[in-house]
Amino acid sequence: MPDDHRRAERLRQAPRTDRSLGERMRAFVEALQTRICKAFERLDGAATFSADPWERRGGGGGLTRVITGGDVWEKGGVSTSAVHGELPARMVEALGVGAGTFFATGLSLVMHPRSPYVPAVHANFRYFALGDDALNPVDHWFGGGADLTPVYPERADAEHFHEVWKRVCDEHEVADYRTFKQQCDAYFYLPHREETRGVGGIFFDYLRDDPEGTFLFVRQAGRAFLSSYVPLVERHKDRAWGERERAFQTYRRGRYAEFNLAFDRGTRFGLETGGRTESVLMSLPPVVRWDYDWHPSADTPEAEALAFFRPHDWLGIGDSSEGSREI
Amino acid sequence: MPDDHRRAERLRQAPRTDRSLGERMRAFVEALQTRICKAFERLDGAATFSADPWERRGGGGGLTRVITGGDVWEKGGVSTSAVHGELPARMVEALGVGAGTFFATGLSLVMHPRSPYVPAVHANFRYFALGDDALNPVDHWFGGGADLTPVYPERADAEHFHEVWKRVCDEHEVADYRTFKQQCDAYFYLPHREETRGVGGIFFDYLRDDPEGTFLFVRQAGRAFLSSYVPLVERHKDRAWGERERAFQTYRRGRYAEFNLAFDRGTRFGLETGGRTESVLMSLPPVVRWDYDWHPSADTPEAEALAFFRPHDWLGIGDSSEGSREI
């Protein structure tokens, strides 16, 4: 049993009384934000992240960090927040609980690369607690995930991304790659297009049975994020592209905007509960096209791309409910 | 009393038994579609409307007409449809009625001009009936409206637009400009931005008390549409503009996409009930930008524009609940 698993086991037996899980998660996501922003700045070489601290009227606040106009990143954001206060009515309804106080903290990131050959990525790691006593919450859980949205998808990229997440899941009893992968396909789905948003990844929510074990999983998932994505950026960022690829990229970004504005629960929730609008909508792509009823010609790279936007068993672990691996 | 009002009065006394209101409305919107498309093509001089007939699996269909890449119109659509069948579950729920059959017909248009100085426009006229017998529906009603979305708003444009709609409303007992105008401000509102989508217009729904009188009003509103909008296109279409104005236009179109995807009931309904996606989303702007936390500098035309995006008493008819006329 690795050291960190042993430490989690000790904490299960003798929970910490000095620092709440919420505070520990908050410290973790803030450190992760710094680390991820530094790595992304290094990758870009030109642009740097801004830092926009903000306060929430009802309690708490956040730090929104955005990078735009870079060589690699056309627009991207890595945000953390730690908010608390009375549960908004909309949340009472959504969670099916009584009125009371809550605490929520997390990191959320979306990166829109300039190159149509570099996939966009989204990741999110969050903790939510109900009740007045942070050390003994009435209820609390973790959620999160990571998913990849290429414009010109390649199987090797999807496989690398999923392999990293499977490896992380396999190390933790609280995590099941196959379930989380299917939840990701189901969540990032555009019913009106009958398309997944991208090539998936993992998605999990309401993990509440083993808080110490789950926090350990979430930390390792957060730390694994860069290794799931940065190799793909490095693989494609210097590949030449032109107007045709740019047009397809901005067209595909329309799907991203459709999903985020019309279907993403986090975005809708943020807009409906008076979240900081610019932070909630930081995920929207920088430039988007909507062409009426456009379809790629047969046997073009654009037509091949579309075959990727349905669930696939990338790692060949067998699941008859999914599409074939053959693309 | 004008002839058409006398005719409506006669039909109130002796309803037609040969042709349902639904069929008459359908014929009206189809003729209106032809007329509006011709006028818009003339205005453009270069591009013409395509014609995409489509069928609905459950019954009926429509004709989607789209114009793109014109000198005046960057993208626009004028659609009609006439659909019928079993009420989808989502509609049973939304309308609070039992299962049964329905008929719906209408015209919907959205025009996105190329020039940032020419306002975008939306209009919609629709009829909905419940029940098997088209000549004696269980329930039926009209809805619709028209609203203007300038990028660089001018008071004279808003006044002209509202004057036309007030004049039409004033001629009909079923229509009240003040109410319809307020409903428009309330409907085309982005709560997360605390902005109206544009400078408003009129919006009405569930007009069911006097079907013949309402159909007459809807016909006159449909016929008045071109006079509410075309003079504004002619006024501004030849004005020179550059990259700065284009950037502000594509930025403001982000608001349009946010409203349509996240808040517009018609769009959400269409996506949720399996409407023809490309027809439902034909309203989305052709090119959109999202810049993180962008604000115009003080005393620029862009800063002045933002003052228009809240309810205004354009015609000075007095309403203390609205913002001042002074812009």
Side-chain angles (χ1 to χ4, degrees):
Chain A
M1 191 190 271
D3 278 0
D4 44 16
H5 283 264
R6 259 194 298 271
R7 206 159 38 241
E9 182 52 36
R10 277 201 307 274
L11 286 166
R12 261 183 220 111
Q13 305 302 329
R16 287 177 69 153
T17 53
D18 56 334
R19 247 179 126 206
S20 67
L21 202 49
E23 276 312 304
R24 290 159 66 203
M25 177 68 173
R26 177 197 180 141
F28 170 71
V29 297
E30 288 176 356
L32 186 64
Q33 179 182 37
T34 303
R35 185 173 148 203
I36 289 173
C37 288
K38 272 189 191 157
F40 282 164
E41 285 176 348
R42 236 185 345 258
L43 212 46
D44 194 275
T48 56
F49 278 88
S50 64
D52 246 9
W54 50 270
E55 283 184 18
R56 180 173 167 277
R57 215 171 303 173
L63 178 65
T64 298
R65 302 199 61 186
V66 169
I67 189 167
T68 55
D71 289 344
V72 170
W73 311 117
E74 189 173 342
K75 179 184 175 189
V78 182
S79 281
T80 54
S81 64
V83 300
H84 62 267
E86 290 298 310
L87 268 180
R90 181 72 184 68
M91 279 160 111
V92 168
E93 184 194 331
L95 296 170
V97 296
T101 58
F102 78 101
F103 171 86
T105 188
L107 174 146
S108 178
L109 71 85
V110 173
M111 301 303 291
H112 293 288
R114 186 174 298 282
S115 165
Y117 289 121
V118 178
V121 75
H122 160 251
N124 176 241
F125 303 102
R126 58 188 183 274
Y127 169 82
F128 202 96
L130 294 173
D132 290 323
D133 182 356
L135 286 165
N136 287 297
V138 173
D139 192 4
H140 59 161
W141 59 87
F142 289 90
D147 67 289
L148 192 72
T149 307
V151 174
Y152 291 97
E154 295 194 4
R155 213 168 95 170
D157 292 352
E159 284 176 5
H160 167 82
F161 193 76
H162 281 267
E163 269 160 15
V164 169
W165 296 113
K166 181 172 187 303
R167 204 176 315 131
V168 174
C169 290
D170 286 353
E171 283 174 27
H172 297 270
E173 280 192 18
V174 297
D176 180 63
Y177 165 76
R178 188 183 300 219
T179 304
F180 291 1
K181 186 266 186 201
Q182 286 176 354
Q183 287 173 180
C184 188
D185 287 336
Y187 183 86
F188 295 102
Y189 184 73
L190 289 79
H192 62 296
R193 302 288 189 182
E194 298 182 0
E195 284 177 13
T196 54
R197 185 170 78 172
V199 298
I202 58 168
F203 180 92
F204 53 93
D205 207 354
Y206 303 111
L207 296 189
R208 49 160 60 89
D209 287 344
D210 171 9
E212 282 298 338
T214 307
F215 183 39
L216 181 59
F217 160 64
V218 166
R219 287 200 308 272
Q220 296 204 343
R223 289 184 189 124
F225 167 74
L226 286 170
S227 70
S228 78
Y229 179 57
V230 171
L232 311 182
V233 180
E234 286 170 337
R235 191 181 288 174
H236 299 295
K237 73 184 174 61
D238 299 320
R239 187 170 167 191
W241 51 272
E243 269 181 44
R244 172 189 176 140
E245 291 77 20
R246 176 66 172 172
F248 188 55
Q249 178 194 47
T250 50
Y251 170 80
R252 288 298 310 169
R253 283 175 175 172
R255 300 291 206 270
Y256 208 93
E258 287 172 23
F259 179 81
N260 284 27
L261 289 168
F263 295 101
D264 184 56
R265 289 200 293 267
T267 303
R268 298 192 58 79
F269 202 81
L271 297 182
E272 287 170 15
T273 56
R276 182 176 179 264
T277 294
E278 287 293 338
S279 297
V280 173
L281 297 185
M282 150 197 110
S283 64
L284 292 172
V287 181
V288 177
R289 299 179 58 84
W290 273 284
D291 299 305
Y292 171 74
D293 209 20
W294 181 83
H295 300 281
S297 309
D299 302 320
T300 57
E302 291 75 20
E304 281 165 29
L306 300 188
F308 281 77
F309 302 124
R310 54 196 169 83
H312 283 280
D313 177 14
W314 301 109
L315 304 182
I317 57 174
D319 185 333
S320 59
S321 74
E322 297 183 357
S324 142
R325 270 184 91 195
E326 305 310 320
I327 293 187
Chain B
M1 192 190 270
D3 278 359
D4 44 14
H5 283 263
R6 259 193 299 271
R7 208 158 39 239
E9 182 53 35
R10 277 202 305 275
L11 286 166
R12 261 183 221 112
Q13 305 303 328
R16 286 177 69 153
T17 54
D18 56 335
R19 250 181 124 205
S20 67
L21 202 49
E23 276 312 304
R24 290 158 65 201
M25 177 67 173
R26 176 197 181 141
F28 170 72
V29 297
E30 288 176 356
L32 186 64
Q33 179 182 35
T34 303
R35 186 175 146 201
I36 289 173
C37 288
K38 272 189 191 157
F40 283 164
E41 285 176 349
R42 238 186 343 259
L43 212 47
D44 194 275
T48 56
F49 279 88
S50 65
D52 246 10
W54 50 270
E55 283 184 19
R56 180 174 168 275
R57 216 172 302 173
L63 179 64
T64 298
R65 301 198 61 186
V66 169
I67 190 167
T68 55
D71 289 343
V72 170
W73 311 115
E74 189 173 343
K75 179 183 175 192
V78 183
S79 282
T80 55
S81 64
V83 300
H84 61 267
E86 290 298 310
L87 268 180
R90 182 71 185 66
M91 279 161 112
V92 168
E93 183 196 329
L95 296 169
V97 296
T101 57
F102 79 101
F103 170 85
T105 189
L107 174 145
S108 178
L109 72 85
V110 173
M111 302 301 292
H112 294 288
R114 186 173 297 283
S115 164
Y117 288 122
V118 178
V121 75
H122 161 251
N124 177 241
F125 303 101
R126 60 189 181 273
Y127 169 82
F128 201 97
L130 294 173
D132 291 322
D133 183 356
L135 286 165
N136 287 298
V138 173
D139 192 4
H140 57 160
W141 60 87
F142 289 91
D147 67 289
L148 192 72
T149 308
V151 174
Y152 290 98
E154 295 194 5
R155 213 169 94 171
D157 293 352
E159 284 176 4
H160 167 82
F161 193 76
H162 280 267
E163 269 160 15
V164 169
W165 296 113
K166 180 171 188 303
R167 205 176 315 132
V168 174
C169 291
D170 286 352
E171 283 174 27
H172 296 271
E173 280 193 15
V174 297
D176 181 62
Y177 165 76
R178 187 182 299 219
T179 304
F180 290 2
K181 186 266 185 201
Q182 286 176 353
Q183 288 174 180
C184 188
D185 287 336
Y187 184 86
F188 295 101
Y189 184 72
L190 289 78
H192 61 297
R193 301 289 189 181
E194 297 181 2
E195 284 176 13
T196 53
R197 183 169 80 173
V199 298
I202 58 169
F203 180 92
F204 52 94
D205 207 354
Y206 302 110
L207 296 189
R208 49 159 60 91
D209 288 343
D210 170 10
E212 282 298 339
T214 307
F215 183 38
L216 181 60
F217 160 64
V218 167
R219 287 200 308 272
Q220 295 205 343
R223 289 184 190 124
F225 167 74
L226 286 170
S227 69
S228 77
Y229 180 57
V230 170
L232 311 183
V233 180
E234 285 171 337
R235 191 180 287 174
H236 299 295
K237 73 184 173 63
D238 298 320
R239 186 169 169 193
W241 50 273
E243 268 181 46
R244 171 188 176 140
E245 291 79 19
R246 176 66 172 173
F248 188 55
Q249 178 194 47
T250 50
Y251 170 81
R252 289 297 310 169
R253 283 175 175 173
R255 301 291 207 268
Y256 208 93
E258 287 172 23
F259 179 80
N260 285 25
L261 289 169
F263 295 100
D264 184 55
R265 288 199 295 267
T267 303
R268 297 192 59 79
F269 202 81
L271 297 183
E272 287 171 14
T273 57
R276 182 176 178 265
T277 295
E278 287 294 338
S279 298
V280 173
L281 297 185
M282 150 196 112
S283 63
L284 292 171
V287 181
V288 177
R289 299 179 56 85
W290 273 283
D291 299 305
Y292 171 73
D293 210 19
W294 181 83
H295 300 280
S297 309
D299 302 320
T300 58
E302 291 75 22
E304 281 164 29
L306 299 187
F308 280 78
F309 302 124
R310 54 194 169 85
H312 282 281
D313 177 14
W314 300 109
L315 304 182
I317 57 175
D319 185 334
S320 58
S321 74
E322 297 183 356
S324 142
R325 270 185 92 195
E326 305 311 319
I327 294 186

